[in-house]
């Protein structure tokens, strides 16, 4: 925070004097930033504030003031300051940790929009380069990216705005997603219309486009696809399952669905019940066991010949925590939140897909009389990854639902994806700094 200890200063004499008194880095530079204006969407700098700045910019007894762009300030400090302190790592703010989870739909929409528009940009560039007559949709991309950035405002994306804001932001995100999908379809049509079928039901194959930079293999669900080469239909939505085998990075491949005797491109995955009533999902990479309570009680790595769930422990254990912070409900979550919770058990655990491409278990978890969670735990034939797909009908107040995974893995840090890279957090509480990162 700037020495004035606010980002919504009102340009008063007392504010400016305090900005000088509270300047803790004067040994390095005797200049500081003064952030003024009505914040939180309240109008920003007002005419009266700008007038006061002009009148008191060079008054004896007050600090000298220069109206400038922040970039100019930082460039000046970089050139003139002495022995500036360097900080390496995350600038962790020990407050407002609840903003990592408040308004989950907004956070999901944001990530969906970022990934979608990135793919649209990539495919549109390729289409403009190789497809005759395709024009890069610069104006529309500019419009929807600005909408995504608008919803990254510091109260919208953290989940700390009032309810009506999220009614508006949901509509904005729907506009972005609908536009992004239309732009994606336009680019794909320009690139591949010469091989496209009239409809999904008449398709003889599936074209896979990999927009990541690395090769990928996975099982892909294609709604409405038919053909003798379709090896499995997913129970959940009747979508056909097709293997996308080693699709090159930033490349494409095609799978034929007309050949009923086509070779299976992956060793089948299986699902069955063992003697203890556990549901077992197994492929060539791992063996997973889900108990009648819906808990993951074993995950055996077949290549390393190693158990990943500690003996007597379980993973995929849902816990309903009290969520009553000291002050701001949407902003904060407190460390004592971790001390009081109810462990929830799954019911109606049953096998819904038995292979050969996908094996799945359905679990239903009653959160309360009003709320329920439905979960599909799936293992495909192509990967050691175990997928947990959840749908929650949530009607709780001042409660927080978490899921716990106990692993026989020892590491000092946990690594998380961020928008432009990764961030690492400690898995221990050796110091007060480590303890502060409890969320």
């Amino acid at each position: 925070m700037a020495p004035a200890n606010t980002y919504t200063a009102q340009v008063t004499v007392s504010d400016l004097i305090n900005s000088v008194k509270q300047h803790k880095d004067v040994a390095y530079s005797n200049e500081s930033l003064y952030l003024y204006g009505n914040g939180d969407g309240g109008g920003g700098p007002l005419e009266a504030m700008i007038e006061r700045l002009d009148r008191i910019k060079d008054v004896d007894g007050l600090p000298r003031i220069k109206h400038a762009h922040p970039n100019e300030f930082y460039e000046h400090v970089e050139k003139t300051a002495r022995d500036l302190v360097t900080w390496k790592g995350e600038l962790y703010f020990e407050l407002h940790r609840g903003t990592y989870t408040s308004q989950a739909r907004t956070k999901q929409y944001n990530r969906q929009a970022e990934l979608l528009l990135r793919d649209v940009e990539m495919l549109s560039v390729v289409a403009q380069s190789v497809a005759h007559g395709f024009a890069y949709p610069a104006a529309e991309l500019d419009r929807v990216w600005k909408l995504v950035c608008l919803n990254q405002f510091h109260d919208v994306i953290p989940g700390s705005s009032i309810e009506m804001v999220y009614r508006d932001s949901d509509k904005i995100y729907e506009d972005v997603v609908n536009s992004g999908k239309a732009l994606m379809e336009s680019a794909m049509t320009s690139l591949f219309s010469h091989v496209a079928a009239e409809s999904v039901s008449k398709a003889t194959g599936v074209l896979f486009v990999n927009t990541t930079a690395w090769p990928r293999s996975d099982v892909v669900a294609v709604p409405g696809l038919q053909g003798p080469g379709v090896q499995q239909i997913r129970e959940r939505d009747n979508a056909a399952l097709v293997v996308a085998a080693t699709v090159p990075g930033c490349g494409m491949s095609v799978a034929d669905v007309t050949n009923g005797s086509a070779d299976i491109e992956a060793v089948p995955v299986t699902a069955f019940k063992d003697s203890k009533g556990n549901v077992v999902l197994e492929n060539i990479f791992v063996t997973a066991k889900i108990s009648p309570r819906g808990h993951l009680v074993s995950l055996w790595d077949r290549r390393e010949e190693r158990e990943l769930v500690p003996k007597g422990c379980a993973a995929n254990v849902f816990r309903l925590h009290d969520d009553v912070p000291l002050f701001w409900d949407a902003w904060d979550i407190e460390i004592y939140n971790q001390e009081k919770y109810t462990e929830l058990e799954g019911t109606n655990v049953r096998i819904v897909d038995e292979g050969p491409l996908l094996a799945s278990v359905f679990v239903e978890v009653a959160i309360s009389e009003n709320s329920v969670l439905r979960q599909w735990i799936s293992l495909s034939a192509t990967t050691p990854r175990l997928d947990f797909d959840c749908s929650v009908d949530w009607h709780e107040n001042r409660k927080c639902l978490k899921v716990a995974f106990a692993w026989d893995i020892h590491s000092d840090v946990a690594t998380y994806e961020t928008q432009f890279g990764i961030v690492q957090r400690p898995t221990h509480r050796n110091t007060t700094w480590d303890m502060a990162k409890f969320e």
Side-chain angles (χ1 to χ4, degrees), residues 93-307:
F93 186 46
E94 296 184 5
L95 193 66
H96 298 338
R97 301 172 185 87
T99 59
Y100 286 108
T101 49
S102 291
Q103 296 292 341
R105 183 192 293 123
T106 295
K107 293 172 169 60
Q108 183 183 36
Y109 262 141
N110 175 72
R111 196 69 178 119
Q112 180 186 2
E114 289 176 340
L115 294 174
L116 174 62
L117 296 184
R118 180 263 178 194
D119 288 350
V120 169
E121 287 184 342
M122 175 186 170
L123 292 170
S124 296
V125 167
V126 175
Q128 181 175 251
S129 301
V130 302
H132 178 71
F134 182 86
Y136 185 83
E140 180 62 8
L141 278 169
D142 183 69
R143 183 186 76 87
V144 292
W145 266 121
K146 285 179 178 177
L147 291 176
V148 174
C149 292
L150 172 66
N151 280 347
Q152 290 179 354
F153 174 72
H154 77 255
D155 272 323
V156 179
I157 197 170
S160 49
S161 292
I162 59 177
E163 181 186 0
M164 68 173 63
V165 169
Y166 295 101
R167 292 200 294 266
D168 289 343
S169 65
D170 283 353
K171 293 177 182 177
I172 290 172
Y173 279 126
E174 288 168 8
D175 178 19
V176 171
V177 171
N178 290 336
S179 176
K181 288 180 177 179
L183 294 174
M184 174 86 76
E185 184 175 352
S186 175
M188 292 285 283
T189 300
S190 295
L191 287 168
F192 306 113
S193 60
H194 60 288
V195 297
E198 294 180 7
S199 64
V200 175
S201 61
K202 296 181 180 180
T204 59
V206 180
L207 174 72
F208 302 107
V209 178
N210 178 11
T211 57
T212 67
W214 52 88
R216 296 181 64 186
S217 295
D218 215 331
V219 173
V220 178
V222 185
L225 182 66
Q226 302 173 7
V230 173
Q231 300 173 34
Q232 185 181 350
I233 301 296
R234 187 166 63 182
E235 186 271 348
R236 179 179 174 182
D237 54 7
N238 292 322
L241 299 176
V242 184
V243 175
T246 318
V247 185
C250 298
M252 53 170 283
S253 69
V254 177
D256 184 10
V257 296
T258 61
N259 187 356
S261 60
D263 293 335
I264 295 177
E265 298 183 52
V267 177
V269 62
T270 58
F272 58 91
K273 282 195 174 183
D274 65 11
S275 59
K276 296 181 180 180
N278 298 319
V279 174
V280 180
L281 306 180
E282 186 173 74
N283 64 12
I284 61 173
F285 305 106
V286 297
T287 300
K289 295 182 180 180
I290 294 93
S291 75
R293 301 166 65 191
H295 298 163
L296 180 65
V297 293
S298 173
L299 185 62
W300 177 260
D301 188 324
R302 301 181 67 180
R303 293 171 297 180
E304 298 294 331
E305 296 187 346
R306 183 177 185 278
E307 176 60 57

Side-chain angles (χ1 to χ4, degrees), residues 349-403:
V349 179
R350 67 180 190 273
I351 297 172
V352 291
D353 295 300
E354 300 183 59
L357 299 182
L358 186 74
S360 303
V361 178
F362 174 78
V363 180
E364 190 169 88
V365 179
I367 299 170
S368 70
E369 293 182 359
N370 302 314
S371 302
V372 64
L373 178 142
R374 297 176 181 85
Q375 183 182 61
W376 290 262
I377 306 172
S378 303
L379 180 66
S380 81
T382 61
T383 175
R385 187 186 70 239
L386 197 61
D387 292 330
F388 298 82
D389 187 4
C390 299
S391 174
V392 186
D393 185 14
W394 182 260
H395 300 281
E396 302 304 304
N397 183 34
R398 291 194 164 188
K399 296 290 183 180
C400 179
L401 183 65
K402 297 185 178 183
V403 61

